Amino acid sequence: MTSTYYAPQGGQPGQDQLLTDRAVFTNAYAVIPKGTMRDIVTSFLPFWSQTRLWVLSRPLSGFAETFSQYIMEVQHGGGSDNPETDPRAETVLFVVEGTATLEVNGAIYELTPGGYAYLPAGRKWRLHNQHPQTLRFHWIRKAYEAVSGLDAPDVLILNENDIVPTPMAGTDGKWATTRFVDPSDMRHDMHVTIVTFEPGAVIPFLETHVMEHGLYVLEGKAVYRLNSDWVEVEAGDYMWLRAFCPQACYAGGPGQFRYLLYKDVNRHMTL
Protein backbone atom coordinates (compact mmCIF):
# COMPACT_ATOMS: atom_id res chain seq x y z
CA MET A 1 0.00 0.00 0.00
CA THR A 2 1.40 3.43 -0.99
CA SER A 3 1.90 5.80 1.94
CA THR A 4 1.69 9.59 1.93
CA TYR A 5 3.40 9.81 5.33
CA TYR A 6 7.06 10.79 5.48
CA ALA A 7 9.42 8.23 7.00
CA PRO A 8 13.22 8.41 7.30
CA GLN A 9 15.32 6.21 5.05
CA GLY A 10 18.70 6.62 6.75
CA GLY A 11 21.83 6.84 4.65
CA GLN A 12 24.71 9.24 5.22
CA PRO A 13 25.27 12.76 3.86
CA GLY A 14 28.22 13.36 1.55
CA GLN A 15 31.45 14.95 2.70
CA ASP A 16 30.65 17.98 0.53
CA GLN A 17 27.46 18.84 2.45
CA LEU A 18 27.29 21.95 4.63
CA LEU A 19 27.12 21.36 8.37
CA THR A 20 24.42 23.98 8.95
CA ASP A 21 20.93 22.57 9.52
CA ARG A 22 17.71 23.48 11.35
CA ALA A 23 18.30 21.45 14.53
CA VAL A 24 17.43 23.35 17.73
CA PHE A 25 17.59 22.18 21.35
CA THR A 26 16.44 24.50 24.12
CA ASN A 27 14.99 24.08 27.62
CA ALA A 28 11.51 24.87 26.23
CA TYR A 29 11.45 23.00 22.92
CA ALA A 30 13.52 20.99 20.46
CA VAL A 31 13.40 20.66 16.66
CA ILE A 32 14.96 17.50 15.21
CA PRO A 33 15.00 17.89 11.41
CA LYS A 34 14.54 14.94 9.11
CA GLY A 35 18.10 15.38 7.84
CA THR A 36 19.51 14.30 11.21
CA MET A 37 17.91 10.85 10.99
CA ARG A 38 20.87 9.09 9.40
CA ASP A 39 22.43 5.65 9.78
CA ILE A 40 24.96 6.90 12.32
CA VAL A 41 22.30 7.88 14.89
CA THR A 42 20.20 4.70 14.84
CA SER A 43 19.75 2.54 17.93
CA PHE A 44 18.91 -1.14 18.58
CA LEU A 45 16.75 -2.92 21.15
CA PRO A 46 16.95 -6.30 22.93
CA PHE A 47 14.84 -9.11 21.43
CA TRP A 48 14.22 -7.29 18.13
CA SER A 49 15.67 -8.88 14.97
CA GLN A 50 16.48 -7.10 11.71
CA THR A 51 15.33 -3.86 13.32
CA ARG A 52 16.82 -0.46 14.01
CA LEU A 53 15.24 2.73 15.32
CA TRP A 54 15.57 6.49 15.67
CA VAL A 55 14.89 7.74 19.19
CA LEU A 56 12.99 11.02 18.90
CA SER A 57 12.43 11.65 22.60
CA ARG A 58 13.12 10.06 25.96
CA PRO A 59 12.65 11.01 29.62
CA LEU A 60 15.61 13.24 30.42
CA SER A 61 16.30 16.19 32.70
CA GLY A 62 15.48 19.29 30.66
CA PHE A 63 13.80 17.30 27.90
CA ALA A 64 10.80 14.95 27.62
CA GLU A 65 9.33 14.05 31.01
CA THR A 66 6.32 11.81 30.39
CA PHE A 67 7.05 9.67 27.32
CA SER A 68 9.46 8.22 24.79
CA GLN A 69 8.96 8.08 21.02
CA TYR A 70 10.75 5.98 18.41
CA ILE A 71 10.60 5.51 14.66
CA MET A 72 11.06 1.76 14.17
CA GLU A 73 12.43 0.28 10.93
CA VAL A 74 11.88 -3.47 10.53
CA GLN A 75 13.16 -5.41 7.54
CA HIS A 76 11.35 -8.38 5.96
CA GLY A 77 11.36 -11.27 8.44
CA GLY A 78 12.25 -9.04 11.37
CA GLY A 79 10.33 -8.16 14.51
CA SER A 80 10.00 -9.36 18.09
CA ASP A 81 8.19 -11.91 20.25
CA ASN A 82 9.17 -9.86 23.31
CA PRO A 83 9.00 -6.24 22.21
CA GLU A 84 8.29 -4.49 25.53
CA THR A 85 10.37 -5.30 28.61
CA ASP A 86 8.80 -2.72 30.97
CA PRO A 87 5.46 -3.90 32.47
CA ARG A 88 4.52 -0.28 33.30
CA ALA A 89 4.64 0.85 29.69
CA GLU A 90 1.51 1.49 27.67
CA THR A 91 2.02 1.65 23.92
CA VAL A 92 0.75 3.42 20.84
CA LEU A 93 1.88 2.18 17.43
CA PHE A 94 1.29 4.15 14.22
CA VAL A 95 2.35 2.70 10.87
CA VAL A 96 3.75 5.04 8.21
CA GLU A 97 5.20 2.51 5.71
CA GLY A 98 4.78 -1.20 5.07
CA THR A 99 2.63 -3.70 6.95
CA ALA A 100 2.95 -4.77 10.59
CA THR A 101 1.63 -8.14 11.70
CA LEU A 102 0.57 -7.58 15.32
CA GLU A 103 -0.53 -10.33 17.69
CA VAL A 104 -2.28 -9.40 20.93
CA ASN A 105 -4.84 -11.28 23.06
CA GLY A 106 -4.54 -14.25 20.67
CA ALA A 107 -5.78 -12.17 17.73
CA ILE A 108 -3.68 -11.21 14.71
CA TYR A 109 -3.99 -7.84 12.98
CA GLU A 110 -2.41 -6.43 9.83
CA LEU A 111 -1.59 -2.74 10.33
CA THR A 112 -1.07 -0.84 7.09
CA PRO A 113 -0.20 2.89 6.71
CA GLY A 114 -2.53 4.87 8.95
CA GLY A 115 -2.88 1.86 11.24
CA TYR A 116 -3.06 2.66 14.96
CA ALA A 117 -2.82 0.31 17.94
CA TYR A 118 -3.22 1.13 21.62
CA LEU A 119 -1.80 -1.59 23.87
CA PRO A 120 -2.38 -1.30 27.64
CA ALA A 121 0.46 -1.62 30.12
CA GLY A 122 1.35 -5.21 30.99
CA ARG A 123 -0.34 -6.68 27.90
CA LYS A 124 1.73 -9.22 25.99
CA TRP A 125 2.08 -8.60 22.27
CA ARG A 126 4.22 -9.55 19.30
CA LEU A 127 5.05 -7.71 16.10
CA HIS A 128 6.69 -8.87 12.85
CA ASN A 129 7.19 -7.79 9.28
CA GLN A 130 6.07 -10.67 7.09
CA HIS A 131 5.96 -8.59 3.90
CA PRO A 132 8.71 -7.69 1.39
CA GLN A 133 8.48 -3.91 1.97
CA THR A 134 10.39 -2.39 4.86
CA LEU A 135 8.10 -1.61 7.80
CA ARG A 136 8.37 1.78 9.49
CA PHE A 137 6.19 2.83 12.41
CA HIS A 138 6.09 5.18 15.38
CA TRP A 139 6.21 3.64 18.84
CA ILE A 140 5.13 5.92 21.69
CA ARG A 141 5.56 4.65 25.26
CA LYS A 142 4.39 6.03 28.59
CA ALA A 143 4.34 4.66 32.14
CA TYR A 144 0.60 4.25 32.72
CA GLU A 145 -0.83 6.21 35.65
CA ALA A 146 -3.53 3.96 37.14
CA VAL A 147 -6.34 5.55 39.17
CA SER A 148 -8.25 3.66 41.85
CA GLY A 149 -11.83 3.13 40.69
CA LEU A 150 -10.99 3.32 36.96
CA ASP A 151 -10.47 0.22 34.83
CA ALA A 152 -7.46 0.00 32.55
CA PRO A 153 -8.11 0.96 28.91
CA ASP A 154 -8.90 -1.71 26.33
CA VAL A 155 -6.82 -2.69 23.31
CA LEU A 156 -7.68 -0.50 20.32
CA ILE A 157 -6.90 -1.39 16.69
CA LEU A 158 -7.93 1.36 14.26
CA ASN A 159 -6.92 3.15 11.07
CA GLU A 160 -7.02 6.89 10.62
CA ASN A 161 -8.54 6.49 7.15
CA ASP A 162 -11.70 5.10 8.79
CA ILE A 163 -12.13 8.03 11.19
CA VAL A 164 -13.84 11.32 10.37
CA PRO A 165 -11.70 14.22 11.65
CA THR A 166 -13.24 16.57 14.22
CA PRO A 167 -13.06 20.20 13.01
CA MET A 168 -11.93 22.93 15.37
CA ALA A 169 -14.82 25.30 16.08
CA GLY A 170 -14.89 28.43 13.95
CA THR A 171 -12.37 27.22 11.35
CA ASP A 172 -14.68 25.89 8.59
CA GLY A 173 -12.83 22.59 8.83
CA LYS A 174 -9.47 24.15 7.96
CA TRP A 175 -8.07 22.89 11.29
CA ALA A 176 -9.17 19.41 12.36
CA THR A 177 -8.11 16.55 14.62
CA THR A 178 -8.36 12.82 13.97
CA ARG A 179 -9.05 11.25 17.38
CA PHE A 180 -8.42 7.58 18.11
CA VAL A 181 -9.68 7.80 21.70
CA ASP A 182 -12.81 9.44 23.10
CA PRO A 183 -11.56 12.56 24.97
CA SER A 184 -14.10 11.91 27.74
CA ASP A 185 -12.69 8.43 28.48
CA MET A 186 -10.84 9.03 31.74
CA ARG A 187 -9.15 5.63 31.61
CA HIS A 188 -6.63 7.10 29.18
CA ASP A 189 -3.76 9.24 30.47
CA MET A 190 -2.38 10.10 27.04
CA HIS A 191 -3.78 10.93 23.62
CA VAL A 192 -2.12 10.39 20.26
CA THR A 193 -3.97 12.18 17.48
CA ILE A 194 -3.39 13.48 13.96
CA VAL A 195 -3.81 17.23 13.44
CA THR A 196 -4.52 18.55 9.93
CA PHE A 197 -4.28 22.12 8.66
CA GLU A 198 -5.39 23.19 5.22
CA PRO A 199 -2.98 25.53 3.36
CA GLY A 200 -2.92 28.94 5.03
CA ALA A 201 -4.72 27.79 8.19
CA VAL A 202 -3.31 28.89 11.52
CA ILE A 203 -3.27 28.34 15.24
CA PRO A 204 -4.35 31.94 15.86
CA PHE A 205 -2.91 32.45 19.34
CA LEU A 206 0.06 31.31 21.39
CA GLU A 207 -1.21 28.15 23.07
CA THR A 208 0.30 27.84 26.54
CA HIS A 209 -0.83 24.76 28.44
CA VAL A 210 0.12 21.98 30.81
CA MET A 211 0.30 19.17 28.24
CA GLU A 212 3.74 18.08 27.05
CA HIS A 213 3.87 17.49 23.29
CA GLY A 214 5.69 15.40 20.74
CA LEU A 215 4.89 16.40 17.13
CA TYR A 216 6.09 14.45 14.10
CA VAL A 217 5.30 16.08 10.75
CA LEU A 218 3.68 13.47 8.50
CA GLU A 219 3.01 15.73 5.51
CA GLY A 220 3.50 19.30 4.32
CA LYS A 221 5.30 22.28 5.81
CA ALA A 222 4.63 25.18 8.17
CA VAL A 223 6.17 27.98 10.17
CA TYR A 224 5.93 27.26 13.90
CA ARG A 225 6.20 29.75 16.76
CA LEU A 226 7.90 27.99 19.68
CA ASN A 227 8.46 30.05 22.81
CA SER A 228 9.94 33.29 21.38
CA ASP A 229 11.22 31.84 18.09
CA TRP A 230 9.85 31.19 14.60
CA VAL A 231 11.07 27.94 13.01
CA GLU A 232 10.30 26.33 9.66
CA VAL A 233 9.32 22.67 9.72
CA GLU A 234 8.48 20.13 7.02
CA ALA A 235 7.50 16.50 6.59
CA GLY A 236 9.89 14.28 8.53
CA ASP A 237 10.76 16.85 11.21
CA TYR A 238 10.07 16.24 14.89
CA MET A 239 9.29 18.78 17.61
CA TRP A 240 9.29 18.33 21.37
CA LEU A 241 7.42 21.00 23.38
CA ARG A 242 7.79 21.26 27.12
CA ALA A 243 4.67 21.89 29.19
CA PHE A 244 3.64 25.56 28.96
CA CYS A 245 5.89 26.26 25.96
CA PRO A 246 4.00 28.91 23.90
CA GLN A 247 3.12 27.53 20.47
CA ALA A 248 1.33 28.57 17.27
CA CYS A 249 1.72 27.93 13.54
CA TYR A 250 0.94 28.94 9.96
CA ALA A 251 0.42 26.09 7.47
CA GLY A 252 2.54 26.85 4.44
CA GLY A 253 0.88 24.86 1.65
CA PRO A 254 0.64 24.01 -1.16
CA GLY A 255 -0.86 20.84 0.37
CA GLN A 256 -2.09 19.93 3.84
CA PHE A 257 0.14 20.23 6.90
CA ARG A 258 -0.35 17.17 9.10
CA TYR A 259 1.37 15.88 12.21
CA LEU A 260 1.18 13.02 14.70
CA LEU A 261 0.67 14.56 18.14
CA TYR A 262 1.32 13.15 21.63
CA LYS A 263 0.03 14.77 24.82
CA ASP A 264 -0.43 13.66 28.43
CA VAL A 265 -3.97 14.17 29.77
CA ASN A 266 -6.60 13.37 32.42
CA ARG A 267 -4.48 13.08 35.55
CA HIS A 268 -3.72 15.15 38.66
CA MET A 269 -0.40 16.95 38.66
CA THR A 270 2.26 14.96 40.50
CA LEU A 271 3.15 16.72 43.77
Side-chain angles (χ1 to χ4, degrees):
M1 179 178 180
T2 302
S3 172
T4 59
Y5 312 119
Y6 186 92
Q9 307 294 311
Q12 293 290 93
Q15 290 288 296
D16 56 349
Q17 181 168 311
L18 292 176
L19 303 182
T20 305
D21 202 346
R22 295 173 293 110
V24 180
F25 190 94
T26 76
N27 62 4
Y29 73 89
V31 178
I32 303 176
K34 65 180 182 181
T36 67
M37 298 180 206
R38 304 290 190 167
D39 292 349
I40 198 171
V41 297
T42 54
S43 299
F44 302 90
L45 290 174
F47 312 119
W48 282 83
S49 66
Q50 299 182 59
T51 299
R52 64 179 185 173
L53 63 147
W54 289 272
V55 177
L56 300 179
S57 62
R58 54 160 290 185
L60 183 73
S61 175
F63 192 43
E65 297 178 346
T66 60
F67 74 111
S68 67
Q69 184 165 350
Y70 313 148
I71 300 178
M72 304 289 290
E73 182 183 87
V74 185
Q75 302 299 327
H76 170 64
S80 179
D81 290 328
N82 185 22
E84 178 56 77
T85 56
D86 188 339
R88 304 170 303 159
E90 58 184 333
T91 285
V92 165
L93 309 176
F94 183 80
V95 176
V96 290
E97 281 188 1
T99 301
T101 301
L102 172 67
E103 181 180 349
V104 59
N105 290 347
I108 296 176
Y109 305 91
E110 296 278 285
L111 300 181
T112 55
Y116 165 102
Y118 173 81
L119 306 172
R123 195 66 56 95
K124 294 295 184 181
W125 52 281
R126 301 177 179 180
L127 187 143
H128 294 87
N129 179 12
Q130 300 176 345
H131 297 263
Q133 182 182 1
T134 300
L135 166 66
R136 295 182 177 93
F137 64 94
H138 286 257
W139 182 1
I140 298 171
R141 304 166 65 245
K142 182 181 183 297
Y144 181 64
E145 298 176 60
V147 175
S148 178
L150 288 178
D151 294 332
D154 300 319
V155 171
L156 291 173
I157 308 294
L158 303 164
N159 191 294
E160 78 133 325
N161 296 297
D162 301 324
I163 300 171
V164 177
T166 302
M168 187 67 70
T171 66
D172 295 324
K174 296 177 181 178
W175 173 10
T177 301
T178 302
R179 304 184 190 279
F180 299 100
V181 171
D182 182 348
S184 67
D185 187 344
M186 291 294 108
R187 297 176 301 168
H188 288 271
D189 65 351
M190 71 167 174
H191 288 166
V192 175
T193 63
I194 295 175
V195 180
T196 301
F197 291 91
E198 296 297 329
V202 302
I203 297 176
F205 71 105
L206 279 173
E207 292 187 26
T208 307
H209 53 64
V210 69
M211 286 83 75
E212 180 179 30
H213 279 340
L215 296 85
Y216 177 84
V217 183
L218 296 167
E219 301 178 46
K221 59 185 174 70
V223 180
Y224 238 94
R225 175 69 177 264
L226 299 174
N227 203 10
S228 59
D229 306 318
W230 286 101
V231 297
E232 289 186 289
V233 293
E234 63 178 343
D237 292 348
Y238 181 75
M239 292 172 276
W240 164 76
L241 281 62
R242 195 171 201 160
F244 300 106
C245 175
Q247 57 197 268
C249 79
Y250 285 89
Q256 292 179 328
F257 174 60
R258 309 185 74 225
Y259 54 80
L260 188 71
L261 172 70
Y262 161 89
K263 61 182 177 181
D264 51 317
V265 295
N266 297 342
R267 293 295 185 267
H268 277 294
M269 305 302 101
T270 301
L271 301 180

